[in-house]
Amino acid sequence: MKKLVHLGMAVLVLIILAPIYITLVHSFMGMREIELDIGSILGGGNKMAAIPLLPSYPTLKNFKDLLLYAESFYRMFWNSFLQAVPTVAGQILVAAPAAFVMAKYRFRGKRLLFWIYLAVMLMPFQVLMVSEYLVLKNLSIVNTHLAIILPGIFGTFPVFILMKVFMNIEDEVMEAARLDGAGPMVLLVKIGMPIGKGGIVSVAVLDFLECINSIEAPLVFLRDKERWPLSLFFPAISVYNAGEVFAASVMIMIPAVLVFFLGDEYLETGLRAFQVKG
């Protein structure tokens, strides 16, 4: 039975890694080889794609063209970080106090507020898209970086996750600090955030990965392509730009992978902290 479980997990891992491997392999292919492998698919044909283990004639031309001649790449790369970093920082500043209060304090309407948070969190972007657009338009920040940053800062997902993390803090620790004269803000800064550091870093990593890969919000809220993030570098793919698209995909993966591995230890700790004690 254990061998079957391991075999199933291995198959799932291969399925998950397959698109990444395909992207890496094709990023080092020339246009002619890409056309032979997947040209029929990109051209709307019925021929099956051929996925080789390695490029027949490896080349760095796609990366050279991307890094030396695609001026928009650097602008969109900067836009991605300009939108993602303030969003993540703002989410932590807003979500941590809200989650701490929801987890460790009792007040009237708390249960209703929790269900509102949960309902909003479960709603897809398409449901809230029009209302968010109207609010942003009234604030005169549509087509600016703030149109992406501001809705992200007040996202409900970080609050829900951090609330689960803060629930693991022992009530005795909180009570002892209150007897020493600690107020709500001191409790959050001196007790909540240090103990919940793993969960906070986990939320930051997950939110950064979500922001860096965001597609729908930039398309809706940013009319000017000068402000588009790197996730929209190539909205259309053809045989003629497929190599550059694959190279751009690899470059997009690099910061996401680095952030993931830098926060890997805290991410694992934070995910364990989600198991709320009964």
PDB file of all heavy atoms in Angstrom, residues 12 18 25 32 46 54 63 69 126 152 202 208 220 231 245 256 261-262:
ATOM      1  N   LEU A  12       2.103  12.412  -9.484  1.00  0.00           N
ATOM      2  CA  LEU A  12       1.594  13.777  -9.302  1.00  0.00           C
ATOM      3  C   LEU A  12       2.717  14.799  -9.406  1.00  0.00           C
ATOM      4  O   LEU A  12       2.551  15.875 -10.003  1.00  0.00           O
ATOM      5  CB  LEU A  12       0.893  13.888  -7.943  1.00  0.00           C
ATOM      6  CG  LEU A  12      -0.459  13.183  -7.808  1.00  0.00           C
ATOM      7  CD1 LEU A  12      -0.966  13.281  -6.373  1.00  0.00           C
ATOM      8  CD2 LEU A  12      -1.475  13.789  -8.769  1.00  0.00           C
ATOM      9  N   ALA A  18       6.023  18.870 -15.087  1.00  0.00           N
ATOM     10  CA  ALA A  18       6.078  18.789 -16.547  1.00  0.00           C
ATOM     11  C   ALA A  18       6.006  20.158 -17.237  1.00  0.00           C
ATOM     12  O   ALA A  18       6.838  20.450 -18.113  1.00  0.00           O
ATOM     13  CB  ALA A  18       4.969  17.872 -17.066  1.00  0.00           C
ATOM     14  N   VAL A  25      12.992  23.687 -21.372  1.00  0.00           N
ATOM     15  CA  VAL A  25      13.545  23.097 -22.592  1.00  0.00           C
ATOM     16  C   VAL A  25      13.330  24.008 -23.791  1.00  0.00           C
ATOM     17  O   VAL A  25      14.256  24.284 -24.570  1.00  0.00           O
ATOM     18  CB  VAL A  25      12.906  21.710 -22.845  1.00  0.00           C
ATOM     19  CG1 VAL A  25      13.274  21.198 -24.238  1.00  0.00           C
ATOM     20  CG2 VAL A  25      13.385  20.713 -21.800  1.00  0.00           C
ATOM     21  N   ARG A  32      12.987  27.595 -35.358  1.00  0.00           N
ATOM     22  CA  ARG A  32      12.682  26.485 -36.264  1.00  0.00           C
ATOM     23  C   ARG A  32      12.347  25.214 -35.488  1.00  0.00           C
ATOM     24  O   ARG A  32      11.384  24.505 -35.815  1.00  0.00           O
ATOM     25  CB  ARG A  32      13.882  26.233 -37.188  1.00  0.00           C
ATOM     26  CG  ARG A  32      13.704  25.077 -38.162  1.00  0.00           C
ATOM     27  CD  ARG A  32      12.486  25.268 -39.030  1.00  0.00           C
ATOM     28  NE  ARG A  32      12.308  24.159 -39.959  1.00  0.00           N
ATOM     29  CZ  ARG A  32      11.205  23.921 -40.639  1.00  0.00           C
ATOM     30  NH1 ARG A  32      10.145  24.726 -40.488  1.00  0.00           N
ATOM     31  NH2 ARG A  32      11.121  22.908 -41.471  1.00  0.00           N
ATOM     32  N   ASN A  46      -3.993  20.312 -35.860  1.00  0.00           N
ATOM     33  CA  ASN A  46      -4.404  19.133 -35.096  1.00  0.00           C
ATOM     34  C   ASN A  46      -3.245  18.195 -34.781  1.00  0.00           C
ATOM     35  O   ASN A  46      -3.437  17.158 -34.150  1.00  0.00           O
ATOM     36  CB  ASN A  46      -5.478  18.355 -35.870  1.00  0.00           C
ATOM     37  CG  ASN A  46      -6.751  19.168 -36.054  1.00  0.00           C
ATOM     38  OD1 ASN A  46      -7.160  19.885 -35.142  1.00  0.00           O
ATOM     39  ND2 ASN A  46      -7.361  19.068 -37.218  1.00  0.00           N
ATOM     40  N   LEU A  54      15.678  17.146 -24.465  1.00  0.00           N
ATOM     41  CA  LEU A  54      16.625  18.251 -24.515  1.00  0.00           C
ATOM     42  C   LEU A  54      16.552  18.902 -25.896  1.00  0.00           C
ATOM     43  O   LEU A  54      16.172  18.243 -26.880  1.00  0.00           O
ATOM     44  CB  LEU A  54      18.056  17.758 -24.255  1.00  0.00           C
ATOM     45  CG  LEU A  54      18.358  17.242 -22.840  1.00  0.00           C
ATOM     46  CD1 LEU A  54      19.740  16.590 -22.813  1.00  0.00           C
ATOM     47  CD2 LEU A  54      18.276  18.351 -21.814  1.00  0.00           C
ATOM     48  N   PHE A  63      17.055  34.346 -24.775  1.00  0.00           N
ATOM     49  CA  PHE A  63      17.398  35.174 -23.616  1.00  0.00           C
ATOM     50  C   PHE A  63      18.131  36.445 -24.056  1.00  0.00           C
ATOM     51  O   PHE A  63      17.926  37.512 -23.473  1.00  0.00           O
ATOM     52  CB  PHE A  63      18.265  34.377 -22.636  1.00  0.00           C
ATOM     53  CG  PHE A  63      17.528  33.269 -21.949  1.00  0.00           C
ATOM     54  CD1 PHE A  63      17.559  31.973 -22.445  1.00  0.00           C
ATOM     55  CD2 PHE A  63      16.778  33.525 -20.804  1.00  0.00           C
ATOM     56  CE1 PHE A  63      16.869  30.954 -21.806  1.00  0.00           C
ATOM     57  CE2 PHE A  63      16.077  32.503 -20.168  1.00  0.00           C
ATOM     58  CZ  PHE A  63      16.124  31.221 -20.669  1.00  0.00           C
ATOM     59  N   TYR A  69      17.087  43.365 -26.286  1.00  0.00           N
ATOM     60  CA  TYR A  69      16.289  44.102 -27.271  1.00  0.00           C
ATOM     61  C   TYR A  69      14.842  44.346 -26.848  1.00  0.00           C
ATOM     62  O   TYR A  69      14.171  45.205 -27.425  1.00  0.00           O
ATOM     63  CB  TYR A  69      16.302  43.349 -28.613  1.00  0.00           C
ATOM     64  CG  TYR A  69      17.689  43.096 -29.135  1.00  0.00           C
ATOM     65  CD1 TYR A  69      18.161  41.798 -29.306  1.00  0.00           C
ATOM     66  CD2 TYR A  69      18.549  44.145 -29.431  1.00  0.00           C
ATOM     67  CE1 TYR A  69      19.453  41.550 -29.774  1.00  0.00           C
ATOM     68  CE2 TYR A  69      19.836  43.921 -29.897  1.00  0.00           C
ATOM     69  CZ  TYR A  69      20.284  42.619 -30.056  1.00  0.00           C
ATOM     70  OH  TYR A  69      21.560  42.385 -30.514  1.00  0.00           O
ATOM     71  N   GLN A 126     -13.914  37.891 -10.210  1.00  0.00           N
ATOM     72  CA  GLN A 126     -14.952  38.326 -11.147  1.00  0.00           C
ATOM     73  C   GLN A 126     -16.191  38.861 -10.434  1.00  0.00           C
ATOM     74  O   GLN A 126     -16.885  39.730 -10.954  1.00  0.00           O
ATOM     75  CB  GLN A 126     -15.355  37.164 -12.073  1.00  0.00           C
ATOM     76  CG  GLN A 126     -14.276  36.725 -13.032  1.00  0.00           C
ATOM     77  CD  GLN A 126     -13.267  35.791 -12.407  1.00  0.00           C
ATOM     78  OE1 GLN A 126     -13.336  35.502 -11.213  1.00  0.00           O
ATOM     79  NE2 GLN A 126     -12.327  35.300 -13.211  1.00  0.00           N
ATOM     80  N   GLY A 152      -5.319  44.986  -2.960  1.00  0.00           N
ATOM     81  CA  GLY A 152      -4.522  43.892  -2.428  1.00  0.00           C
ATOM     82  C   GLY A 152      -4.218  44.048  -0.952  1.00  0.00           C
ATOM     83  O   GLY A 152      -4.197  43.066  -0.196  1.00  0.00           O
ATOM     84  N   SER A 202       5.018  33.194   6.065  1.00  0.00           N
ATOM     85  CA  SER A 202       4.288  32.313   5.140  1.00  0.00           C
ATOM     86  C   SER A 202       3.287  33.109   4.317  1.00  0.00           C
ATOM     87  O   SER A 202       3.207  32.955   3.087  1.00  0.00           O
ATOM     88  CB  SER A 202       3.563  31.215   5.918  1.00  0.00           C
ATOM     89  OG  SER A 202       4.459  30.428   6.645  1.00  0.00           O
ATOM     90  N   PHE A 208       3.168  37.299  -2.085  1.00  0.00           N
ATOM     91  CA  PHE A 208       4.103  37.770  -3.113  1.00  0.00           C
ATOM     92  C   PHE A 208       3.970  36.937  -4.379  1.00  0.00           C
ATOM     93  O   PHE A 208       3.930  37.480  -5.491  1.00  0.00           O
ATOM     94  CB  PHE A 208       5.537  37.709  -2.590  1.00  0.00           C
ATOM     95  CG  PHE A 208       6.562  38.159  -3.600  1.00  0.00           C
ATOM     96  CD1 PHE A 208       6.830  39.507  -3.772  1.00  0.00           C
ATOM     97  CD2 PHE A 208       7.244  37.236  -4.381  1.00  0.00           C
ATOM     98  CE1 PHE A 208       7.758  39.930  -4.713  1.00  0.00           C
ATOM     99  CE2 PHE A 208       8.169  37.643  -5.326  1.00  0.00           C
ATOM    100  CZ  PHE A 208       8.439  39.008  -5.484  1.00  0.00           C
ATOM    101  N   VAL A 220      -7.848  44.508 -15.920  1.00  0.00           N
ATOM    102  CA  VAL A 220      -9.086  45.270 -15.688  1.00  0.00           C
ATOM    103  C   VAL A 220      -8.790  46.700 -15.259  1.00  0.00           C
ATOM    104  O   VAL A 220      -9.418  47.652 -15.732  1.00  0.00           O
ATOM    105  CB  VAL A 220      -9.948  44.568 -14.623  1.00  0.00           C
ATOM    106  CG1 VAL A 220     -11.157  45.422 -14.260  1.00  0.00           C
ATOM    107  CG2 VAL A 220     -10.405  43.206 -15.124  1.00  0.00           C
ATOM    108  N   SER A 231       3.714  39.645 -15.737  1.00  0.00           N
ATOM    109  CA  SER A 231       2.802  38.528 -16.011  1.00  0.00           C
ATOM    110  C   SER A 231       2.020  38.743 -17.304  1.00  0.00           C
ATOM    111  O   SER A 231       1.462  37.791 -17.856  1.00  0.00           O
ATOM    112  CB  SER A 231       1.832  38.335 -14.846  1.00  0.00           C
ATOM    113  OG  SER A 231       1.144  39.535 -14.555  1.00  0.00           O
ATOM    114  N   VAL A 245       8.809  34.115 -25.369  1.00  0.00           N
ATOM    115  CA  VAL A 245       7.810  33.906 -24.318  1.00  0.00           C
ATOM    116  C   VAL A 245       8.311  32.881 -23.303  1.00  0.00           C
ATOM    117  O   VAL A 245       8.198  33.082 -22.086  1.00  0.00           O
ATOM    118  CB  VAL A 245       6.475  33.425 -24.924  1.00  0.00           C
ATOM    119  CG1 VAL A 245       5.511  32.990 -23.824  1.00  0.00           C
ATOM    120  CG2 VAL A 245       5.839  34.534 -25.749  1.00  0.00           C
ATOM    121  N   ALA A 256      10.267  34.389  -8.101  1.00  0.00           N
ATOM    122  CA  ALA A 256       9.279  33.626  -7.333  1.00  0.00           C
ATOM    123  C   ALA A 256       9.939  32.442  -6.628  1.00  0.00           C
ATOM    124  O   ALA A 256       9.674  32.174  -5.450  1.00  0.00           O
ATOM    125  CB  ALA A 256       8.163  33.146  -8.259  1.00  0.00           C
ATOM    126  N   PHE A 261      12.224  29.811  -1.714  1.00  0.00           N
ATOM    127  CA  PHE A 261      13.278  29.102  -0.992  1.00  0.00           C
ATOM    128  C   PHE A 261      13.814  29.916   0.183  1.00  0.00           C
ATOM    129  O   PHE A 261      14.197  29.347   1.214  1.00  0.00           O
ATOM    130  CB  PHE A 261      14.413  28.723  -1.937  1.00  0.00           C
ATOM    131  CG  PHE A 261      14.114  27.500  -2.758  1.00  0.00           C
ATOM    132  CD1 PHE A 261      13.909  27.604  -4.125  1.00  0.00           C
ATOM    133  CD2 PHE A 261      14.011  26.254  -2.162  1.00  0.00           C
ATOM    134  CE1 PHE A 261      13.626  26.478  -4.880  1.00  0.00           C
ATOM    135  CE2 PHE A 261      13.724  25.123  -2.910  1.00  0.00           C
ATOM    136  CZ  PHE A 261      13.530  25.235  -4.270  1.00  0.00           C
ATOM    137  N   LEU A 262      13.832  31.245   0.052  1.00  0.00           N
ATOM    138  CA  LEU A 262      14.267  32.073   1.172  1.00  0.00           C
ATOM    139  C   LEU A 262      13.304  31.978   2.345  1.00  0.00           C
ATOM    140  O   LEU A 262      13.713  32.049   3.510  1.00  0.00           O
ATOM    141  CB  LEU A 262      14.411  33.535   0.720  1.00  0.00           C
ATOM    142  CG  LEU A 262      15.609  33.850  -0.187  1.00  0.00           C
ATOM    143  CD1 LEU A 262      15.543  35.289  -0.681  1.00  0.00           C
ATOM    144  CD2 LEU A 262      16.936  33.623   0.556  1.00  0.00           C
TER     145      LEU A 262
END
